[in-house]
Structure formats: C-alpha cells, structure tokens
Amino acid sequence: MTQTYENYIGGEWTGSGETQDVTNPADETDVVSTVPVASAADADEAVAAAAEATDEWGGMPGPERGAILRETGEILKSRKDELAETLTREEGKPLGEAEGEVQRAIDIFYYYAEKARDFGGTVKQPSGGRAGLQTKKEPMGVAALITPWNYPIAIPAWKIAPALAVGNTVVIKPAMQAPTVGAMIVEALDEAGIPDGAINLVCGPGSEVGERLTTHDDVDVVSFTGSAAVGEHVYEQATSNGKRAQAEMGGKNPTVVMPSADVDKAADIVGAGAFGGTGQACTATSRAIVHEDVYDEFLDAVVDYAESLEIGNGLDRAGMGPHVSEDELAGSLEYIDIAQSEGATLETGGEELTGGEYDAGNFISPAVFSDVEPDMRIAQEEVFGPVLAVIPVSDFDAGVEVANDIDYGLSASIVTDRIEEENEFIERSESGVVKVNEKTTGLELHVPFGGLKRSSTNTYREQGDAGLEFFSYIKTVYRNS
Ligand code: NAD
C-alpha cells in the first residue's frame, strides 16, 4: 500500500506541488509513500505558523501539554504494527529492529508526557529584605528539528517530544530517504488534539528547506542529527544567526577486546554492534581493537558471526537488511576498495549481492577486515555500512590509545573480565557514551546522549532531562513585597 503525506502547516495538510516517491530499499518496485518536495517558501509558512502558536502552546499548563503527548503515545501504540512495517519498508531494517524502534518512540512520548507535568524551577533562600528568589524555566520559542533517515521514528520522537513538553512550537524536516514514519508522528499529534501551529512538518531537501530553517529569523533553536559535514555547517549557520543549536553527528565507534573476555561473547557483542541496522547507526561498532593474545580466535569468531547472518528483506525478519539507498551501498563498496588498496585483508563479505530478490534491492554481505592499521582510512573514517575493521594491539594501553586516536567520540565499549580495566577504560575513553561488556549501539531514553569531538557540537546533550534543558532557558526571579 502506498501512503500519501503532504506538509503539515498550521494544522492543515497542504501540498507543495512537486512530490517524491519513497521506495523500499529491499524492493524498488514497492512504493511506500508519496511525499511533497517542499520549498523554502513552505519552510517560511511553517515557521510563521509555529511562531503564531507559541503563546497558545507555551502558555498551556504543562500537565495539559503532557496529556496531548501521552495521547500521542497511545495513538502510536495502537498503530505499532503498521508503523513498524512502514519503517522496515522505507528504511530497510529487519522488522524486529523496527518494532523496537517504534516502541522506543512510544516510550519517549510517555516519558516526556510526565516530564511536562514536572518541569519547573527551583526556589532559593533570598538575602535579607527580599521576599523571594526563584528560577523559572521558559520555552525557547520556535524549534527547527532536522533529522536523518537511519532512525526515522526514534530520532524525530526524541527531538519533538521534549521540545513540545516544555512549550516550544516545532517545525520538523525529516530526511527524504525515510520521511513517512516521521509524518505519522505528526499525524498522531494532530489526532491527539495538538493546537494548530504547535507542530509543523515540511518534507523537502536539506539544501533548501534545511538551510532556510537554520537561518530563519523566527527560529529560536535548532536541533540537528546527521553527518558531520552537514552538522558542522548547520551549527555554524544557526549560531551565526544567533540561535541556540546542537548538532549530533557521526561516529567511528570502537570495542576493545581484552584477553580476559569470553571471546565468543565478545564476537557476538561486536557482530551485533557492527551489523545491526546494516551498520547504519551513528553508534555502530566499526572498529574491533583486539589484544594480540586473542586476535586470531576473535577474528575467526566474528567472521563466523558475519557469515551466519541471513541477508534479505527486513519484512521477512532477515538477519540483516539492505542499505537504505543505492548511494549508501556505493559508499560502502567504495570503502571496501579503499581498504584493500591500503593493504587491509578482506576476510569475508563486502560484496554487492545479486540474483533473485537481491536484484531489486541494495544488498551487501557484511564485511570483516583484518590486518588493519589504526591510521588507515577504513579505521579512521565513518563508513556507515556493515564493515568492520579488526585492529590488533599489544596491551590495554595501546587499545585505549587506538580507541581514542580518532576524530570522532560517540560511543565506545570494552569487553573484559577485569574490573580495573573497566574502570580505567571508563576514565580514559574519549567518547560521550562508554559501555562495558555490551555493544556500542543501543541507548536508554532517560539518560543523556551525545558525543565528543566531531561526533557532536558538545553544546548540549539529547534525551533524558538533558533534552528538556536544551529546549528551555532559565529566568531568575527576584521578588520584593
Ligand atoms: P545527512 O547529514 O546527509 O542529513 C541529515 C539531515 O540534514 C537530513 O534531513 C538532510 O536533508 C538535512 N540536510 C542536508 N543538507 C542540509 C543543509 N545544508 N542544511 C540543513 N539541513 C540539511 O545525514 P544522513 O545521511 O541523513 O544520516 C546519516 C548520518 O547521521 C551519519 O553520519 C550518522 O552517523 C549520523 N547520525 C548521528 C546520530 C547521533 O545521534 N549522533 C544519530 C543518527 C545518525
């Protein structure tokens, strides 16, 4: 079934004229949805509608805003199967992963529904003569949210829900590769009774709609997730136009494997982190940094893991789905050539899959490279595909150094049975998320998330209470009677 969505501006679904088909990356004959190709003029209209709604939405008591968010969560829950299927059809990830992501979006709406009720300030003791001293939190105003395609429902949810909870109005621009489930969140908010203008959706190219949102005078706060190249530009544009901004970007995430670890368990952890979501996660494990004492054993085990994955259509609950687009597939294949030309050894995979159902999609077999030197491009640059570089190190210190010797700093993990290595890794790891004995992917929604170095502008964090802080400012009140 093909769904049709328009832009949603000021409480109305409105077309832009030009439209685009969103197709299934596992089967190009399957048209998932038709969405508008919005223009800068549509972005202007959406910002105007959002600006007009700030008094009504920002002035509404927090518990009432929370009730609308809770109802939105309920509506998403009632459509969970449909959402998961749509997500798999437009992004490609296996249905089980899509179901998990949709549940996460539902939980995010429930979580921030309660946070809207609790959100407030603090009361302090005033100095002599003054009657009151307190802080009060206020919404920033109009929030522009720009999101990527790889978590097409979770990321819009973790930006929209906190922005709305504290009383901002929102314009969201999802990525054009997978905008449908983001539009379905907006549909649920509409059905839940959100006032006109509080949420607005424009589906359009980043170069036009995204640019306009990040520079528009009436936008107060910009939250971006995507690639480092675009994020750095968005941040520069937004902040030079006086806006509060955050950009969460790419990663090149390591898992260090120490000899005390159960090697099979380590291979399962790394394999799941590297190939889950076809390696298209900002937190995907792309480097296994392995102590030389267990290097060969680990390599054999992780190659077995990769070769055991059944590659196919996510709707059939395959072990790994396709790349989201031909361009992304071409990007991975290019890195596989680069790695080989630099002297890394391709142990398995890395081939475009053809024949039968594969001909209609963007399929690749998961790749494992050995003999990887830390300074090779395959060990330094984000590939954004199912490509794992396995790097040998002689001891723990070398492992930490290789893990840190990188432009990115999003998520890092260690697999070890030694508490002193755990502790030291947590201390020395240059990354926003550090994990022990688990994969670099997978996040809890009620703790902050963000990176260091080129993974984030590191201005604010997302999720948990940090999400509320980004979308609000503090007013300090001195009261005299
Ligand atoms: P992208 O940077 O190509 O696009 C992200 C969004 O920015 C899209 O909506 C796009 O249309 C928009 N955009 C493009 N040009 C723009 C411009 N000039 N101005 C404003 N907006 C513009 O990224 P992508 O390919 O959609 O996503 C993959 C990337 O996202 C990877 O690098 C991945 O690591 C990163 N990512 C990071 C996180 C995180 O939380 N750190 C989470 C998921 C994905």
Side-chain angles (χ1 to χ4, degrees):
M1 189 188 86
T2 303
Q3 303 177 66
T4 300
Y5 282 95
E6 299 186 308
N7 295 319
Y8 182 79
I9 298 175
E12 300 288 334
W13 294 97
T14 62
S16 296
E18 202 186 331
T19 61
Q20 178 197 294
D21 286 346
V22 177
T23 54
N24 182 341
D27 175 5
E28 65 195 3
T29 63
D30 177 21
V31 179
V32 182
S33 65
T34 301
V35 296
V37 180
S39 63
D42 297 311
D44 287 345
E45 270 186 45
V47 172
E52 206 181 312
T54 50
D55 285 351
E56 182 183 1
W57 182 248
M60 186 184 278
E64 287 177 32
R65 288 197 299 266
I68 289 175
L69 297 184
R70 193 175 313 103
E71 179 60 19
T72 303
E74 289 291 315
I75 294 164
L76 294 175
K77 188 174 165 193
S78 72
R79 298 180 72 183
K80 184 175 170 183
D81 290 348
E82 182 193 348
L83 282 160
E85 191 182 313
T86 305
L87 199 167
T88 290
R89 282 176 61 215
E90 70 175 344
E91 199 273 348
K93 65 183 66 176
L95 203 48
E97 289 182 33
E99 285 161 353
E101 189 182 331
V102 171
Q103 186 59 50
R104 183 185 178 82
I106 295 165
D107 291 342
I108 287 169
F109 274 93
Y110 289 153
Y111 174 78
Y112 284 111
E114 298 314 312
K115 288 284 172 184
R117 184 189 294 272
D118 263 353
F119 194 64
T122 52
V123 177
K124 297 280 186 181
Q125 289 285 324
S127 300
R130 196 167 274 135
L133 183 63
Q134 70 183 96
T135 65
K136 186 172 180 305
K137 292 192 182 165
E138 306 266 336
M140 296 289 295
V142 175
L145 313 179
I146 299 174
T147 55
W149 48 263
N150 65 332
Y151 287 94
I153 193 162
I155 296 178
W158 84 49
K159 292 184 193 295
I160 291 172
L164 290 176
V166 300
N168 298 276
T169 58
V170 166
V171 180
I172 180 157
K173 191 211 88 61
M176 291 302 270
Q177 293 91 336
T180 319
V181 286
M184 290 168 82
I185 294 183
V186 172
E187 192 173 41
L189 281 159
D190 172 55
E191 208 181 306
I194 195 165
D196 295 349
I199 179 81
N200 303 275
L201 166 81
V202 269
C203 297
S207 54
E208 184 170 349
V209 174
E211 281 289 323
R212 180 57 65 99
L213 291 176
T214 49
T215 52
H216 198 294
D217 281 347
D218 292 338
V219 168
D220 301 290
V221 56
V222 174
S223 182
F224 168 92
T225 298
S227 61
V230 176
E232 284 163 2
H233 168 74
V234 162
Y235 184 75
E236 172 64 30
Q237 294 268 74
T239 52
S240 61
N241 280 279
K243 303 177 197 323
R244 178 181 288 185
Q246 68 181 175
E248 297 303 330
M249 301 171 281
K252 188 74 189 172
N253 310 290
T255 294
V256 175
V257 179
M258 294 304 294
S260 61
D262 174 329
V263 172
D264 287 336
K265 184 175 148 197
D268 286 351
I269 287 171
V270 170
F275 309 129
T278 319
Q280 303 172 126
C282 52
T283 50
T285 313
S286 51
R287 297 179 295 150
I289 300 167
V290 185
H291 192 287
E292 59 193 15
D293 288 357
V294 289
Y295 186 83
D296 290 341
E297 194 187 341
F298 174 85
L299 190 59
D300 287 347
V302 86
V303 165
D304 282 351
Y305 184 102
E307 290 177 351
S308 73
L309 287 173
E310 185 202 330
I311 320 300
N313 192 325
L315 291 177
D316 301 330
R317 297 186 185 270
M320 191 180 94
H323 260 300
V324 73
S325 65
E326 280 177 30
D327 283 353
E328 293 293 328
L329 172 62
S332 284
L333 293 171
E334 192 182 339
Y335 269 105
I336 282 155
D337 286 346
I338 291 169
Q340 287 175 293
S341 68
E342 284 184 308
T345 304
L346 181 59
E347 297 282 345
T348 187
E351 282 174 6
E352 181 174 2
L353 300 176
T354 53
E357 68 161 345
Y358 291 140
D359 285 340
N362 311 312
F363 293 98
I364 184 174
S365 50
V368 177
F369 279 101
S370 64
D371 301 323
V372 177
E373 299 290 335
D375 59 353
M376 287 178 179
R377 288 181 64 191
I378 197 71
Q380 289 286 329
E381 298 173 16
E382 186 181 51
V383 177
F384 226 56
V387 182
L388 176 69
V390 188
I391 306 170
V393 286
S394 55
D395 57 24
F396 174 80
D397 282 330
V400 177
E401 273 161 36
V402 171
N404 286 340
D405 185 19
I406 191 97
D407 285 344
Y408 293 103
L410 191 54
S411 181
S413 80
I414 185 166
V415 190
T416 176
D417 202 25
R418 293 186 54 188
I419 186 83
E420 60 277 21
E421 287 172 354
E422 284 183 32
N423 289 340
E424 202 172 332
F425 188 73
I426 292 166
E427 287 304 313
R428 290 171 59 189
S429 181
E430 295 171 5
S431 62
V433 174
V434 189
K435 295 180 156 200
V436 175
N437 293 330
E438 64 173 283
K439 57 191 165 83
T440 54
T441 50
L443 302 168
E444 299 235 23
L445 62 91
H446 55 303
V447 284
F449 173 54
L452 305 178
K453 305 181 186 173
R454 280 196 90 192
S455 291
S456 170
T457 48
N458 203 8
T459 37
Y460 290 83
R461 290 283 184 255
E462 295 198 272
Q463 309 203 55
D465 287 325
L468 302 167
E469 281 153 26
F470 174 70
F471 287 110
S472 59
Y473 67 89
I474 297 172
K475 188 179 272 180
T476 311
V477 183
Y478 294 76
R479 211 189 285 272
N480 270 303
S481 49

